[in-house]
Amino acid sequence: MATFGFGQGVRRSEDPRLLTGQGRFTDDIRLDGQAHAVFVRSPFAHAAITGIDTGDAATAPGVLAVVTGTDLAAEGLGPIPSLAKVDNRDGSPMATPPRPALSTTRVRHVGEPVAVVVAETLDQARDAAELVMVDYDPLDAVTDAAAALAPNAPQLWPEAPANQAFDWDEGDAAAADRLFAQAAHVVALDLVNNRLVPTPLETRACLATYDPASARFGLTLPSQGVHMLKRQLAQRIFHVDPEQFHIRTPDVGGGFGMKIFCYPEYVVCLSAARRLGRPVGWTSDRTEAFVSDDHGRDHRTRAEMALDADGRIRAIRIDTIANLGAYLSNFAAFIPTGAGSQMYGGLYRPEIVYYRCRGAFTNTQPVDAYRGAGRPEAAYVVERLADLAARRLGLDPAEFRRRNFVPPSAMPYAAATGLIYDSGEFERHLNDALERSDYKTFLERRATARTQGRLRGFGIASYVEACAGGGPERTHLSVDAEGRLTLLIGTQTNGQGHQTAYGQIIAEHLGVAPEDITLVQGDSDRIATGGGTGGSRSVPTGGAAVAEAALKVQEKARLVAADLLEAAAADIVFADGRFGIVGTDRTATFAEITRHAAAADGTDTPFAEDGAYKPATFTFPNGTHACEVEIDPETGATAIVRYTVVDDFGRVLNPLLVAGQVHGGVVQGVGQALLEHTVFEADSGQLTSGSLMDYALPRADGMPWIDFSTIEVPCTTNPLGIKGAGEAGAIGACPAVINAVVDALAEFGVEHVDMPATPEVVWRLIHGRTAGKAA
């Protein structure tokens, strides 16, 4: 094994640069002649635009241009497209109303852009934006998805009667109905998967350029992959050859799915740069981000589980209304449908899973992928149902799960949802989590807490997710004459540690040090293709491509080593980070071999190889979360006092990186479960939780140390044996936390608590102000 190779807990090589302020983010970049953009946004959730007067703004000091949607239409720019569409249950197409970059006739959510002011300085642009006069005729608004589908609700789009974008399903509804009719027990649950505002550390930004000589656009922005944006902007919006776009992404301060998508600001700044012949930059402030970024989750679900007399699951039936917001973001229709629909069987063995989903337009910000993207929503439903079923049947929640798990002997297992789980030992990680969380003595801790006037609860959630599938990833690995390597790949780090991870894979096969490897990402000119980062794909998919390129270099290096060591090529082996003659102590380092090859061939690049990998199917990470909470009945405040995670990620490339990903995901899940509450005023549609003074995020002092460990059951469908790990923490956390809260409140007759379980919500349940019944 190489010193920095597979399985080693190598510290992130990118951290010293980032932690010492040497990172280079989009807003750090300044170009000669750069102008500044400020957007004029709607203060109304729903209104007709009856006029826009830009006269005073256009003549304000320093103003270079004021652009409206009429100007963009005159340029022939297309709307921002919906890239994922589904059909209705009757086979008809879903409703896909247009999303203009700047609205001209009607606004449909607070913060929707209607104009942009471009000026020499940011302050001048801000001042002039205040002078743009927009005449609005306010209309009734609707922000709740279920209310939007109700009769007589305010209508957003003529293309979508009753505000319904689609009515989609998957599975055999009639077969599910038969099994429910035959069931010995049926449990039902009405629940909310609350809306989230992603709030990455770095807000969105862009820097647009245009070169009239080459008719070429440039766009620098924090993204999760440049190639999809390049195709979308060129082909669907500006109607030019994709090679007329150069998209770059420097360092990125978090994305969580939200930075995958095309947004109006990018289109408008590109147009302004072409109009002015100057670079145009824009950076969102935090308040602007709350009303202009895509949000996540926001489902209302009726979930049912049919069981036999022995407590075994026979069928699961789900009916969800998904809030899509006012416009269809790039993958809005896919996230509540195909992204998670096949996970509604969980780790269990139902004969039938039937899932129906209706998408509703509302006067709110668009909703799209957020960490986990459909799989956390499914896991929350399934694991809340599992806990409710266990309670109704008088079974220990762990025993109920053991009774229903897919056993290792059944692998590969064809799930009722159509997926094939290749591997997994579900009872093993459940048992490990219970042991590590000291479950056997929980009742003693509960009794002690009671003497102190506190309520204790213990919750578990065992999850499985599907990730790291989809399209191919390609990479190019080159080596210079001194043995320094450059890796080009189309994934995009957002802080996950790609430089370290890919470096370890290369070190495993070539024995090089991390400092000898340069990672190049986020440049559509230097990197021809790429799938970007999302769906926990970067290491399982991108890493497999990196490994192929490194192995090709290793083979070429082995032949050169034979010449250098004066031995037959068949006698050269790579072991312990060096190339050597089998059965002897004669070896050479990769750097020595590279210098020899460069001298022999007279080249500056003695080795250069491509790698590619296209997954045939998903990987299926799985695990168990165990959460222990303590509640103050006087205030309703919930404290997490213990948290344990045991995950199966297949072969673990770097335990430190994986632990960091899981810790972050768990904290995001805890934030959703207990704190994060996106609130719209019902009649006006105003976002009343539109700042960090009103929208609570989790903090370090609200979390105990997370006891994290893994079991390694190698993935049989991934060449590295890896299962994706980037989103798993957020998938298991919400049901584990809410199961623990419900357990603590069970003595009050509480069967369910919707997220977020804020102190007020919990206090009302304790004191009988709300019912807390499952359905």
Side-chain angles (χ1 to χ4, degrees), residues 301-544:
T301 296
R302 171 78 173 190
E304 299 169 288
M305 181 179 282
L307 304 114
D308 67 16
D310 295 321
R312 289 183 170 83
I313 303 168
R314 298 202 65 195
I316 295 174
R317 188 165 56 193
I318 311 295
D319 190 344
T320 288
I321 299 174
N323 194 333
L324 304 176
Y327 296 94
L328 292 172
S329 179
N330 285 163
F331 297 101
F334 174 67
I335 301 308
T337 57
S341 62
Q342 293 181 303
M343 306 316 302
Y344 279 97
L347 304 93
Y348 310 118
R349 293 172 287 169
E351 300 168 45
I352 292 290
V353 174
Y354 175 72
Y355 175 57
R356 179 191 182 192
C357 180
R358 286 167 285 170
F361 289 112
T362 65
N363 296 113
T364 64
Q365 286 67 32
V367 177
D368 210 316
Y370 177 75
R371 194 172 191 168
R375 288 104 70 205
E377 293 90 321
Y380 182 65
V381 169
V382 173
E383 287 305 286
R384 284 295 299 120
L385 274 176
D387 242 45
L388 178 62
R391 291 187 179 278
R392 293 275 181 88
L393 297 175
L395 294 173
D396 181 275
E399 172 55 28
F400 177 83
R401 288 168 170 81
R402 292 189 189 102
R403 194 171 293 189
N404 284 284
F405 278 153
V406 177
S409 60
M411 300 296 177
Y413 178 74
T417 57
L419 295 174
I420 298 178
Y421 299 165
D422 67 284
S423 59
E425 298 178 15
F426 307 150
E427 188 170 340
R428 178 181 165 194
H429 56 63
L430 170 63
N431 292 341
D432 284 359
L434 294 175
E435 181 177 351
R436 295 178 71 93
S437 58
D438 201 14
Y439 181 53
K440 289 182 179 179
T441 60
F442 167 70
L443 293 180
E444 297 173 15
R445 296 192 296 278
R446 169 176 276 176
T448 300
R450 188 176 296 280
T451 66
Q452 300 166 349
R454 299 289 192 269
L455 306 170
R456 278 254 177 168
F458 188 93
I460 57 175
S462 296
Y463 77 93
V464 63
E465 64 146 327
C467 63
E473 199 61 60
R474 296 179 175 85
T475 187
H476 180 76
L477 181 63
S478 61
V479 187
D480 71 13
E482 296 301 317
R484 294 184 292 265
L485 299 92
T486 300
L487 175 68
L488 280 68
I489 189 167
T491 58
Q492 180 61 57
T493 186
N494 283 196
Q496 298 94 335
H498 288 189
Q499 180 177 317
T500 303
Y502 294 149
Q504 284 185 257
I505 294 171
I506 295 170
E508 176 78 8
H509 299 302
L510 298 175
V512 296
E515 59 267 22
D516 291 331
I517 303 170
T518 298
L519 174 64
V520 178
Q521 295 177 306
D523 190 321
S524 66
D525 276 9
R526 296 187 66 184
I527 305 162
T529 63
T533 290
S536 301
R537 69 183 300 274
S538 292
V539 172
T541 303

Side-chain angles (χ1 to χ4, degrees), residues 195-208:
R195 177 182 283 239
L196 302 173
V197 181
T199 57
L201 186 63
E202 178 201 25
T203 59
R204 287 190 302 115
C206 68
L207 177 56

Side-chain angles (χ1 to χ4, degrees), residues 347 405 425-438 460-464 621-627 643-650 652 658 662-663 666 706-713 728-729 732 736:
L347 304 93
F405 278 153
E425 298 178 15
F426 307 150
E427 188 170 340
R428 178 181 165 194
H429 56 63
L430 170 63
N431 292 341
D432 284 359
L434 294 175
E435 181 177 351
R436 295 178 71 93
S437 58
D438 201 14
I460 57 175
S462 296
Y463 77 93
V464 63
N622 54 91
T624 294
H625 290 221
C627 176
Y643 204 100
T644 305
V645 182
V646 181
D647 278 320
D648 169 19
F649 294 137
V652 174
V658 166
V662 171
H663 285 190
V666 166
I706 298 170
D707 180 341
F708 170 68
S709 62
T710 61
I711 63 172
E712 294 196 14
V713 182

